[in-house]
Amino acid sequence: MPSTALYTDLSSYYDLMCADINYQEQSAYVRRLHDLLGNKGKDYLDLACGTGPHLRHFIDFGYTATGVDINQPMLDIAQLRCPEAQFTQQDMSHLNMVTQMDLISCFLYSIHYNQSIAALTECITSVHRALKPGGLFCFNAVDKSTIDNRDGIKRQLTHDDSDFSFQSNWYYCGEGDLQQLQLSIERTTNGITEQWRDHHPMVALTFAQLQQLLEPYFEVHIFAHDYQRITPWENSAGNAFFVGIKH
């Protein structure tokens, strides 16, 4: 199965899978970071934008918004949600923007969709080119050394006379620069259950490695993964929020 096949098949269910995510809180957090550390501009790009929920909030904040995703069915939904925004189908590892941005985000650990250190490095350089001076690059990440491989919590909900079950977790074998996002989705309608499973290959690295990749291009700040307040990252936490200010 291609790495995007599950999302292509289930793009209309993606928002259900992410129903417990507080997109407004996450968007407001990045807006605060941009107000504190950024260049005060309003040109915004969301990498791996999916169906566009973060973009919707930034448009409402007064930004001019652009979304990039590798998956066209996701972008079709995002365009309906955000008719004011511009969308392009691109691989973030080879980002190519006509105009520069003031703020670029990559939410939901999607930075790891760069499937190798080389691809991630190219993504970082592409983002740097796509930012105006003083522009911000904001994303969250997970440190491979902290992944425990346990099954994720199963969420269940009912929608359009079908019962859904969603489960996701990280898996890392303990060596190398590849980890997996393991997804399981079940839909039961009229007593008939369909199931999709997918293992998305994603880049694995430590925060020290990630900081080393960023520092040639950005002034790097690492914050605790807490969307309610802006506080420094504690070295023991396995997830964090990274902010790069373009030199």
Side-chain angles (χ1 to χ4, degrees):
M1 175 183 294
S3 62
T4 59
L6 183 144
Y7 284 160
T8 300
D9 293 341
L10 298 179
S11 57
S12 60
Y13 301 126
Y14 179 79
D15 289 338
L16 289 178
M17 185 170 64
C18 300
D20 60 337
I21 294 172
N22 191 332
Y23 292 104
Q24 183 175 18
E25 182 181 62
Q26 294 181 8
S27 301
Y29 176 79
V30 169
R31 181 192 184 188
R32 293 199 303 275
L33 287 170
H34 191 224
D35 287 344
L36 287 170
L37 302 172
N39 60 10
K40 312 307 180 187
K42 292 292 186 179
D43 290 325
Y44 169 62
L45 168 65
D46 191 21
L47 295 181
C49 68
T51 60
H54 292 106
L55 282 162
R56 180 67 265 163
H57 290 295
F58 276 94
I59 292 169
D60 295 341
F61 294 154
Y63 285 75
T64 300
T66 302
V68 166
D69 201 281
I70 200 171
N71 189 286
Q72 188 59 49
M74 293 287 202
L75 293 176
D76 293 341
I77 296 171
Q79 188 71 78
L80 293 173
R81 172 177 272 138
C82 306
E84 311 96 319
Q86 300 294 318
F87 294 95
T88 60
Q89 184 182 18
Q90 292 190 43
D91 183 337
M92 76 175 94
S93 300
H94 307 288
L95 181 66
N96 183 22
M97 301 301 298
V98 175
T99 59
Q100 289 184 310
M101 299 288 150
D102 300 296
L103 172 63
I104 297 178
S105 66
C106 190
F107 287 100
L108 306 182
Y109 302 97
S110 297
I111 196 71
H112 290 279
Y113 277 107
N114 295 285
Q115 295 179 9
S116 67
I117 298 294
L120 177 58
T121 301
E122 179 58 30
C123 177
I124 290 169
T125 59
S126 297
V127 167
H128 182 264
R129 288 194 299 269
L131 279 170
K132 298 175 188 177
L136 253 60
F137 180 31
C138 301
F139 62 92
N140 54 351
V142 61
D143 187 312
K144 70 178 184 181
S145 65
T146 66
I147 295 173
D148 62 15
N149 297 336
R150 286 183 294 180
D151 289 341
I153 296 172
K154 185 173 288 190
R155 285 196 317 103
Q156 296 178 316
L157 56 84
T158 300
H159 179 75
D160 287 346
D161 299 322
S162 294
D163 296 321
F164 290 88
S165 175
F166 303 103
Q167 190 171 30
S168 65
N169 64 281
W170 293 105
Y171 177 82
Y172 179 59
C173 69
E175 59 183 17
D177 63 357
L178 188 66
Q179 63 193 29
Q180 292 180 349
L181 176 62
Q182 299 184 340
L183 299 174
S184 174
I185 303 175
E186 293 181 359
R187 179 180 63 192
T188 301
T189 307
N190 297 325
I192 299 173
T193 298
E194 301 170 275
Q195 186 177 74
W196 296 264
R197 292 186 184 276
D198 203 6
H199 296 171
H200 285 251
M202 304 181 97
V203 69
L205 72 172
T206 65
F207 286 167
Q209 289 176 295
L210 182 52
Q211 187 168 4
Q212 187 175 27
L213 292 177
L214 290 164
E215 283 182 339
Y217 306 96
F218 299 98
E219 175 188 327
V220 181
H221 299 264
I222 310 176
F223 296 101
H225 203 270
D226 182 348
Y227 292 113
Q228 295 183 351
R229 50 195 159 267
I230 298 172
T231 55
W233 170 65
E234 297 181 0
N235 291 344
S236 60
N239 54 6
F241 208 90
F242 282 74
V243 175
I245 306 173
K246 181 173 178 176
H247 293 318

Short mmCIF file of all heavy atoms in Angstrom, two decimals, residues 105-163:
data_model
loop_
_atom_site.label_atom_id
_atom_site.label_comp_id
_atom_site.label_asym_id
_atom_site.label_seq_id
_atom_site.Cartn_x
_atom_site.Cartn_y
_atom_site.Cartn_z
N SER A 105 4.29 26.78 9.61
CA SER A 105 4.04 25.80 10.66
C SER A 105 3.99 24.40 10.07
O SER A 105 3.76 24.22 8.87
CB SER A 105 2.72 26.11 11.39
OG SER A 105 1.62 25.94 10.50
N CYS A 106 4.17 23.44 10.95
CA CYS A 106 3.99 22.02 10.58
C CYS A 106 3.49 21.31 11.84
O CYS A 106 4.28 20.87 12.67
CB CYS A 106 5.31 21.44 10.08
SG CYS A 106 5.13 19.80 9.32
N PHE A 107 2.18 21.21 11.96
CA PHE A 107 1.55 20.69 13.16
C PHE A 107 1.49 19.15 13.16
O PHE A 107 1.78 18.50 12.17
CB PHE A 107 0.12 21.23 13.27
CG PHE A 107 0.03 22.68 13.67
CD1 PHE A 107 -0.21 23.66 12.70
CD2 PHE A 107 0.15 23.08 14.99
CE1 PHE A 107 -0.32 25.00 13.06
CE2 PHE A 107 0.04 24.41 15.36
CZ PHE A 107 -0.21 25.37 14.39
N LEU A 108 1.07 18.61 14.30
CA LEU A 108 0.73 17.19 14.47
C LEU A 108 1.89 16.27 14.14
O LEU A 108 1.70 15.18 13.60
CB LEU A 108 -0.50 16.84 13.61
CG LEU A 108 -1.74 17.71 13.82
CD1 LEU A 108 -2.89 17.22 12.95
CD2 LEU A 108 -2.15 17.73 15.29
N TYR A 109 3.10 16.69 14.48
CA TYR A 109 4.31 15.88 14.28
C TYR A 109 4.56 15.55 12.81
O TYR A 109 5.32 14.63 12.49
CB TYR A 109 4.24 14.58 15.09
CG TYR A 109 4.08 14.81 16.57
CD1 TYR A 109 2.82 14.74 17.17
CD2 TYR A 109 5.17 15.09 17.38
CE1 TYR A 109 2.66 14.96 18.53
CE2 TYR A 109 5.02 15.30 18.74
CZ TYR A 109 3.77 15.24 19.30
OH TYR A 109 3.62 15.45 20.65
N SER A 110 3.94 16.31 11.91
CA SER A 110 4.03 15.97 10.49
C SER A 110 5.42 16.20 9.92
O SER A 110 5.72 15.71 8.83
CB SER A 110 3.00 16.78 9.70
OG SER A 110 1.69 16.45 10.08
N ILE A 111 6.28 16.92 10.63
CA ILE A 111 7.65 17.08 10.18
C ILE A 111 8.33 15.73 9.99
O ILE A 111 9.22 15.55 9.16
CB ILE A 111 8.46 17.95 11.17
CG1 ILE A 111 9.75 18.45 10.54
CG2 ILE A 111 8.70 17.22 12.49
CD1 ILE A 111 9.55 19.49 9.47
N HIS A 112 7.87 14.72 10.74
CA HIS A 112 8.46 13.37 10.65
C HIS A 112 8.08 12.65 9.36
O HIS A 112 8.65 11.59 9.06
CB HIS A 112 8.04 12.53 11.86
CG HIS A 112 8.66 12.98 13.14
ND1 HIS A 112 9.94 12.63 13.52
CD2 HIS A 112 8.18 13.77 14.14
CE1 HIS A 112 10.22 13.17 14.70
NE2 HIS A 112 9.16 13.86 15.09
N TYR A 113 7.13 13.19 8.59
CA TYR A 113 6.80 12.57 7.30
C TYR A 113 7.94 12.68 6.30
O TYR A 113 7.93 11.99 5.28
CB TYR A 113 5.52 13.18 6.71
CG TYR A 113 4.26 12.57 7.27
CD1 TYR A 113 3.46 13.29 8.17
CD2 TYR A 113 3.86 11.29 6.92
CE1 TYR A 113 2.31 12.73 8.70
CE2 TYR A 113 2.72 10.73 7.44
CZ TYR A 113 1.94 11.46 8.33
OH TYR A 113 0.80 10.91 8.85
N ASN A 114 8.90 13.55 6.56
CA ASN A 114 10.17 13.46 5.83
C ASN A 114 10.81 12.13 6.25
O ASN A 114 11.17 11.95 7.41
CB ASN A 114 11.07 14.64 6.19
CG ASN A 114 10.49 15.96 5.74
OD1 ASN A 114 10.52 16.29 4.56
ND2 ASN A 114 9.95 16.73 6.69
N GLN A 115 10.96 11.21 5.32
CA GLN A 115 11.22 9.82 5.68
C GLN A 115 12.69 9.46 5.86
O GLN A 115 13.01 8.29 6.04
CB GLN A 115 10.56 8.89 4.66
CG GLN A 115 9.04 9.00 4.68
CD GLN A 115 8.37 8.10 3.65
OE1 GLN A 115 9.01 7.27 3.02
NE2 GLN A 115 7.08 8.27 3.49
N SER A 116 13.57 10.45 5.85
CA SER A 116 14.99 10.20 6.07
C SER A 116 15.64 11.49 6.56
O SER A 116 15.06 12.58 6.43
CB SER A 116 15.68 9.73 4.79
OG SER A 116 15.71 10.78 3.83
N ILE A 117 16.83 11.38 7.12
CA ILE A 117 17.56 12.56 7.54
C ILE A 117 17.83 13.47 6.34
O ILE A 117 17.74 14.70 6.42
CB ILE A 117 18.88 12.18 8.22
CG1 ILE A 117 18.59 11.36 9.51
CG2 ILE A 117 19.69 13.42 8.56
CD1 ILE A 117 17.89 12.12 10.60
N ALA A 118 18.16 12.86 5.19
CA ALA A 118 18.43 13.65 3.99
C ALA A 118 17.18 14.42 3.57
O ALA A 118 17.26 15.60 3.20
CB ALA A 118 18.90 12.74 2.86
N ALA A 119 16.01 13.77 3.59
CA ALA A 119 14.77 14.45 3.21
C ALA A 119 14.42 15.55 4.20
O ALA A 119 13.97 16.64 3.81
CB ALA A 119 13.63 13.44 3.12
N LEU A 120 14.64 15.30 5.48
CA LEU A 120 14.38 16.31 6.49
C LEU A 120 15.30 17.51 6.31
O LEU A 120 14.88 18.67 6.43
CB LEU A 120 14.53 15.72 7.89
CG LEU A 120 14.36 16.68 9.06
CD1 LEU A 120 12.99 17.34 9.04
CD2 LEU A 120 14.59 15.95 10.38
N THR A 121 16.56 17.24 6.02
CA THR A 121 17.51 18.33 5.78
C THR A 121 17.09 19.18 4.59
O THR A 121 17.14 20.42 4.64
CB THR A 121 18.92 17.75 5.54
OG1 THR A 121 19.32 16.99 6.67
CG2 THR A 121 19.93 18.86 5.31
N GLU A 122 16.63 18.54 3.52
CA GLU A 122 16.16 19.28 2.35
C GLU A 122 14.91 20.09 2.70
O GLU A 122 14.75 21.23 2.23
CB GLU A 122 15.85 18.32 1.20
CG GLU A 122 15.33 19.00 -0.06
CD GLU A 122 16.28 20.05 -0.62
OE1 GLU A 122 17.51 19.89 -0.45
OE2 GLU A 122 15.79 21.02 -1.23
N CYS A 123 14.04 19.53 3.53
CA CYS A 123 12.85 20.26 3.97
C CYS A 123 13.26 21.51 4.73
O CYS A 123 12.72 22.61 4.50
CB CYS A 123 11.97 19.37 4.84
SG CYS A 123 10.52 20.18 5.53
N ILE A 124 14.20 21.38 5.64
CA ILE A 124 14.65 22.52 6.44
C ILE A 124 15.24 23.61 5.56
O ILE A 124 14.94 24.80 5.72
CB ILE A 124 15.66 22.05 7.51
CG1 ILE A 124 14.93 21.21 8.58
CG2 ILE A 124 16.37 23.24 8.15
CD1 ILE A 124 15.86 20.48 9.52
N THR A 125 16.07 23.22 4.60
CA THR A 125 16.65 24.22 3.69
C THR A 125 15.58 24.87 2.82
O THR A 125 15.63 26.08 2.55
CB THR A 125 17.75 23.61 2.82
OG1 THR A 125 17.21 22.54 2.04
CG2 THR A 125 18.89 23.06 3.67
N SER A 126 14.58 24.07 2.41
CA SER A 126 13.49 24.62 1.59
C SER A 126 12.65 25.61 2.39
O SER A 126 12.24 26.66 1.87
CB SER A 126 12.60 23.49 1.07
OG SER A 126 13.31 22.61 0.23
N VAL A 127 12.39 25.29 3.65
CA VAL A 127 11.64 26.19 4.52
C VAL A 127 12.41 27.49 4.72
O VAL A 127 11.85 28.59 4.69
CB VAL A 127 11.32 25.52 5.86
CG1 VAL A 127 10.83 26.54 6.88
CG2 VAL A 127 10.27 24.42 5.67
N HIS A 128 13.73 27.37 4.94
CA HIS A 128 14.55 28.56 5.12
C HIS A 128 14.45 29.49 3.90
O HIS A 128 14.30 30.71 4.04
CB HIS A 128 16.01 28.14 5.37
CG HIS A 128 16.94 29.28 5.60
ND1 HIS A 128 17.70 29.84 4.60
CD2 HIS A 128 17.21 29.99 6.72
CE1 HIS A 128 18.42 30.83 5.11
NE2 HIS A 128 18.15 30.94 6.38
N ARG A 129 14.51 28.90 2.70
CA ARG A 129 14.38 29.71 1.49
C ARG A 129 13.01 30.36 1.39
O ARG A 129 12.86 31.46 0.84
CB ARG A 129 14.62 28.85 0.24
CG ARG A 129 16.06 28.43 0.02
CD ARG A 129 16.25 27.89 -1.38
NE ARG A 129 15.42 26.71 -1.63
CZ ARG A 129 15.82 25.47 -1.43
NH1 ARG A 129 17.04 25.23 -0.95
NH2 ARG A 129 15.03 24.45 -1.70
N ALA A 130 12.00 29.68 1.91
CA ALA A 130 10.62 30.15 1.76
C ALA A 130 10.23 31.21 2.79
O ALA A 130 9.12 31.75 2.72
CB ALA A 130 9.65 28.97 1.86
N LEU A 131 11.10 31.50 3.76
CA LEU A 131 10.80 32.48 4.80
C LEU A 131 11.43 33.83 4.51
O LEU A 131 12.55 33.92 3.99
CB LEU A 131 11.31 31.98 6.16
CG LEU A 131 10.44 30.97 6.91
CD1 LEU A 131 11.21 30.42 8.10
CD2 LEU A 131 9.13 31.60 7.37
N LYS A 132 10.73 34.87 4.90
CA LYS A 132 11.31 36.21 4.88
C LYS A 132 12.30 36.34 6.04
O LYS A 132 12.27 35.56 6.99
CB LYS A 132 10.21 37.26 5.04
CG LYS A 132 9.18 37.28 3.92
CD LYS A 132 8.07 38.27 4.24
CE LYS A 132 6.92 38.17 3.24
NZ LYS A 132 5.80 39.08 3.57
N PRO A 133 13.19 37.33 5.99
CA PRO A 133 14.08 37.57 7.12
C PRO A 133 13.29 37.77 8.41
O PRO A 133 12.28 38.49 8.43
CB PRO A 133 14.81 38.86 6.72
CG PRO A 133 14.79 38.85 5.23
CD PRO A 133 13.47 38.23 4.85
N GLY A 134 13.73 37.09 9.46
CA GLY A 134 13.02 37.17 10.73
C GLY A 134 11.79 36.30 10.81
O GLY A 134 11.09 36.29 11.83
N GLY A 135 11.50 35.54 9.74
CA GLY A 135 10.35 34.66 9.73
C GLY A 135 10.52 33.47 10.66
O GLY A 135 11.64 33.08 11.01
N LEU A 136 9.39 32.88 11.06
CA LEU A 136 9.39 31.77 12.02
C LEU A 136 9.00 30.46 11.36
O LEU A 136 8.10 30.41 10.52
CB LEU A 136 8.37 32.05 13.14
CG LEU A 136 8.95 32.43 14.52
CD1 LEU A 136 9.77 33.70 14.40
CD2 LEU A 136 7.83 32.59 15.53
N PHE A 137 9.69 29.39 11.79
CA PHE A 137 9.34 28.02 11.43
C PHE A 137 8.99 27.31 12.73
O PHE A 137 9.82 27.17 13.62
CB PHE A 137 10.51 27.34 10.75
CG PHE A 137 10.28 25.91 10.32
CD1 PHE A 137 9.02 25.47 9.95
CD2 PHE A 137 11.34 25.00 10.28
CE1 PHE A 137 8.80 24.15 9.54
CE2 PHE A 137 11.13 23.69 9.88
CZ PHE A 137 9.87 23.27 9.51
N CYS A 138 7.73 26.86 12.86
CA CYS A 138 7.22 26.27 14.10
C CYS A 138 6.70 24.86 13.85
O CYS A 138 5.90 24.65 12.92
CB CYS A 138 6.08 27.11 14.66
SG CYS A 138 6.51 28.83 15.03
N PHE A 139 7.12 23.90 14.67
CA PHE A 139 6.64 22.53 14.51
C PHE A 139 6.87 21.75 15.80
O PHE A 139 7.71 22.12 16.63
CB PHE A 139 7.36 21.83 13.35
CG PHE A 139 8.85 21.70 13.53
CD1 PHE A 139 9.39 20.57 14.11
CD2 PHE A 139 9.71 22.70 13.09
CE1 PHE A 139 10.76 20.43 14.27
CE2 PHE A 139 11.07 22.58 13.25
CZ PHE A 139 11.61 21.45 13.84
N ASN A 140 6.13 20.66 15.96
CA ASN A 140 6.38 19.76 17.09
C ASN A 140 7.04 18.48 16.60
O ASN A 140 6.95 18.11 15.43
CB ASN A 140 5.11 19.47 17.89
CG ASN A 140 3.96 18.95 17.05
OD1 ASN A 140 4.00 18.94 15.82
ND2 ASN A 140 2.91 18.52 17.71
N ALA A 141 7.75 17.83 17.53
CA ALA A 141 8.53 16.65 17.16
C ALA A 141 8.62 15.71 18.35
O ALA A 141 8.35 16.09 19.50
CB ALA A 141 9.94 17.06 16.71
N VAL A 142 9.00 14.45 18.06
CA VAL A 142 9.19 13.45 19.10
C VAL A 142 10.62 12.95 19.03
O VAL A 142 11.19 12.78 17.94
CB VAL A 142 8.19 12.28 18.93
CG1 VAL A 142 8.36 11.56 17.61
CG2 VAL A 142 8.29 11.30 20.10
N ASP A 143 11.24 12.74 20.19
CA ASP A 143 12.61 12.24 20.30
C ASP A 143 12.57 10.71 20.25
O ASP A 143 11.90 10.07 21.05
CB ASP A 143 13.24 12.72 21.61
CG ASP A 143 14.71 12.40 21.73
OD1 ASP A 143 15.09 11.23 21.47
OD2 ASP A 143 15.49 13.28 22.11
N LYS A 144 13.29 10.13 19.30
CA LYS A 144 13.24 8.67 19.10
C LYS A 144 13.66 7.89 20.33
O LYS A 144 13.20 6.76 20.54
CB LYS A 144 14.08 8.26 17.89
CG LYS A 144 15.59 8.41 18.08
CD LYS A 144 16.35 7.94 16.86
CE LYS A 144 17.87 7.99 17.05
NZ LYS A 144 18.60 7.54 15.84
N SER A 145 14.52 8.48 21.16
CA SER A 145 15.03 7.74 22.32
C SER A 145 13.99 7.57 23.42
O SER A 145 14.20 6.83 24.37
CB SER A 145 16.26 8.45 22.89
OG SER A 145 15.92 9.73 23.41
N THR A 146 12.84 8.26 23.29
CA THR A 146 11.80 8.19 24.32
C THR A 146 10.60 7.35 23.90
O THR A 146 9.68 7.15 24.70
CB THR A 146 11.31 9.60 24.68
OG1 THR A 146 10.64 10.17 23.55
CG2 THR A 146 12.47 10.49 25.08
N ILE A 147 10.57 6.85 22.68
CA ILE A 147 9.40 6.10 22.19
C ILE A 147 9.34 4.74 22.88
O ILE A 147 10.33 4.00 22.91
CB ILE A 147 9.47 5.94 20.66
CG1 ILE A 147 9.36 7.31 19.99
CG2 ILE A 147 8.37 5.00 20.15
CD1 ILE A 147 9.57 7.30 18.49
N ASP A 148 8.17 4.39 23.42
CA ASP A 148 8.05 3.14 24.18
C ASP A 148 7.27 2.05 23.46
O ASP A 148 7.12 0.94 23.98
CB ASP A 148 7.43 3.40 25.55
CG ASP A 148 6.01 3.96 25.48
OD1 ASP A 148 5.38 3.90 24.40
OD2 ASP A 148 5.53 4.48 26.50
N ASN A 149 6.74 2.35 22.27
CA ASN A 149 6.11 1.36 21.38
C ASN A 149 4.80 0.77 21.90
O ASN A 149 4.28 -0.18 21.32
CB ASN A 149 7.07 0.20 21.07
CG ASN A 149 8.31 0.65 20.32
OD1 ASN A 149 8.29 1.68 19.64
ND2 ASN A 149 9.38 -0.11 20.45
N ARG A 150 4.25 1.31 22.97
CA ARG A 150 2.97 0.78 23.44
C ARG A 150 1.84 1.17 22.50
O ARG A 150 1.91 2.20 21.82
CB ARG A 150 2.67 1.30 24.84
CG ARG A 150 3.51 0.66 25.94
CD ARG A 150 3.12 1.18 27.29
NE ARG A 150 3.44 2.59 27.44
CZ ARG A 150 3.19 3.29 28.55
NH1 ARG A 150 2.60 2.72 29.58
NH2 ARG A 150 3.52 4.58 28.61
N ASP A 151 0.78 0.36 22.48
CA ASP A 151 -0.38 0.69 21.68
C ASP A 151 -1.01 1.99 22.16
O ASP A 151 -1.04 2.28 23.37
CB ASP A 151 -1.44 -0.42 21.76
CG ASP A 151 -1.02 -1.67 21.03
OD1 ASP A 151 -0.11 -1.58 20.18
OD2 ASP A 151 -1.57 -2.74 21.33
N GLY A 152 -1.49 2.78 21.23
CA GLY A 152 -2.15 4.02 21.59
C GLY A 152 -3.54 3.77 22.15
O GLY A 152 -4.09 2.66 22.07
N ILE A 153 -4.11 4.80 22.73
CA ILE A 153 -5.46 4.71 23.28
C ILE A 153 -6.46 4.63 22.14
O ILE A 153 -6.37 5.37 21.15
CB ILE A 153 -5.76 5.94 24.17
CG1 ILE A 153 -4.81 5.95 25.37
CG2 ILE A 153 -7.21 5.94 24.63
CD1 ILE A 153 -4.91 7.21 26.20
N LYS A 154 -7.41 3.73 22.25
CA LYS A 154 -8.43 3.57 21.21
C LYS A 154 -9.57 4.54 21.48
O LYS A 154 -10.11 4.63 22.59
CB LYS A 154 -8.95 2.13 21.20
CG LYS A 154 -9.93 1.84 20.09
CD LYS A 154 -10.27 0.36 20.03
CE LYS A 154 -9.11 -0.46 19.50
NZ LYS A 154 -9.52 -1.86 19.22
N ARG A 155 -9.93 5.33 20.45
CA ARG A 155 -11.05 6.25 20.54
C ARG A 155 -12.21 5.73 19.72
O ARG A 155 -12.03 5.24 18.61
CB ARG A 155 -10.66 7.64 20.01
CG ARG A 155 -9.79 8.45 20.91
CD ARG A 155 -9.78 9.92 20.47
NE ARG A 155 -9.67 10.09 19.03
CZ ARG A 155 -10.68 10.41 18.23
NH1 ARG A 155 -11.90 10.58 18.69
NH2 ARG A 155 -10.47 10.56 16.93
N GLN A 156 -13.42 5.85 20.25
CA GLN A 156 -14.60 5.37 19.56
C GLN A 156 -15.63 6.47 19.47
O GLN A 156 -15.81 7.27 20.39
CB GLN A 156 -15.17 4.15 20.30
CG GLN A 156 -14.23 2.95 20.30
CD GLN A 156 -14.77 1.77 21.06
OE1 GLN A 156 -15.31 1.93 22.15
NE2 GLN A 156 -14.61 0.58 20.51
N LEU A 157 -16.30 6.55 18.32
CA LEU A 157 -17.38 7.51 18.15
C LEU A 157 -18.32 7.01 17.08
O LEU A 157 -18.01 6.09 16.30
CB LEU A 157 -16.82 8.90 17.80
CG LEU A 157 -15.91 9.06 16.57
CD1 LEU A 157 -16.72 9.22 15.29
CD2 LEU A 157 -15.00 10.26 16.74
N THR A 158 -19.50 7.63 17.02
CA THR A 158 -20.52 7.28 16.04
C THR A 158 -20.76 8.46 15.12
O THR A 158 -20.86 9.61 15.57
CB THR A 158 -21.83 6.89 16.74
OG1 THR A 158 -21.59 5.75 17.59
CG2 THR A 158 -22.91 6.53 15.72
N HIS A 159 -20.84 8.17 13.82
CA HIS A 159 -21.05 9.22 12.82
C HIS A 159 -21.80 8.63 11.63
O HIS A 159 -21.42 7.58 11.10
CB HIS A 159 -19.72 9.80 12.37
CG HIS A 159 -19.83 10.86 11.33
ND1 HIS A 159 -20.26 12.15 11.60
CD2 HIS A 159 -19.57 10.83 9.99
CE1 HIS A 159 -20.26 12.85 10.50
NE2 HIS A 159 -19.85 12.09 9.50
N ASP A 160 -22.88 9.29 11.21
CA ASP A 160 -23.66 8.85 10.05
C ASP A 160 -24.01 7.37 10.12
O ASP A 160 -23.81 6.60 9.17
CB ASP A 160 -22.89 9.14 8.75
CG ASP A 160 -22.87 10.62 8.41
OD1 ASP A 160 -23.66 11.37 9.01
OD2 ASP A 160 -22.07 11.00 7.54
N ASP A 161 -24.56 6.94 11.27
CA ASP A 161 -25.04 5.57 11.47
C ASP A 161 -23.93 4.52 11.41
O ASP A 161 -24.21 3.33 11.22
CB ASP A 161 -26.14 5.22 10.45
CG ASP A 161 -27.35 6.12 10.57
OD1 ASP A 161 -27.71 6.46 11.71
OD2 ASP A 161 -27.93 6.48 9.53
N SER A 162 -22.68 4.94 11.54
CA SER A 162 -21.56 4.00 11.61
C SER A 162 -20.78 4.22 12.90
O SER A 162 -20.69 5.35 13.40
CB SER A 162 -20.61 4.18 10.41
OG SER A 162 -21.25 3.83 9.20
N ASP A 163 -20.26 3.13 13.45
CA ASP A 163 -19.41 3.21 14.64
C ASP A 163 -17.95 3.13 14.20
O ASP A 163 -17.57 2.23 13.43
CB ASP A 163 -19.71 2.05 15.59
CG ASP A 163 -21.12 2.12 16.16
OD1 ASP A 163 -21.58 3.24 16.47
OD2 ASP A 163 -21.77 1.07 16.27
#
